Amino acid sequence: MIKAITKMSVQADKTAEFEKLARELVYYSAKDTGNEYYSCSKSENQPNTYCFIEFWSDAGAFQASIETEYFTRLFPQLVDLTEEKPVIELYTGLTD
C-alpha cells in the first residue's frame, strides 16, 4: 500500500476557492481504481493549512491517479492558491 500526504499552506484570501477545488479533487480521486482512502482536512493548529491524505493499493494506482484529466487540471490550480510549494511525502505501510 502507498500512502501520500500532501500539506499545503493556502493564501488567506483564497481559502474558499481552495476548498471548492479540493472537494472536487477528492470527489473524483476517491472513485479511482486502487484508491482506498482520500480526504482533505484543514489544520486546527495552523491557519490556512490543509492536508490531503491518500491510501492507494499500490504505486501503479497512485501513478495512474496523478495522470488523470481532473488531477492534471485541478492540482495546478490548487498550487496556484498556496503561499509556498506543497510538501508531498509518500509512505509504504509497515503494518498493512
Side-chain angles (χ1 to χ4, degrees), residues 52-65:
F52 288 89
I53 300 173
E54 313 167 39
F55 295 1
W56 296 94
S57 59
D58 56 45
F62 172 75
Q63 186 61 40
S65 76

Side-chain angles (χ1 to χ4, degrees), residues 31-84:
K31 295 180 179 187
D32 280 344
T33 301
N35 178 265
E36 298 187 17
Y37 181 81
Y38 204 109
S39 72
C40 181
S41 300
K42 185 174 182 178
S43 174
E44 292 195 13
N45 302 322
Q46 299 173 350
N48 307 323
T49 299
Y50 295 80
C51 184
F52 288 89
I53 300 173
E54 313 167 39
F55 295 1
W56 296 94
S57 59
D58 56 45
F62 172 75
Q63 186 61 40
S65 76
I66 63 175
E67 294 173 359
T68 61
E69 177 279 325
Y70 61 82
F71 187 90
T72 59
R73 174 175 49 86
L74 294 171
F75 193 75
Q77 292 179 62
L78 290 166
V79 171
D80 286 344
L81 303 174
T82 62
E83 295 178 334
E84 55 195 44

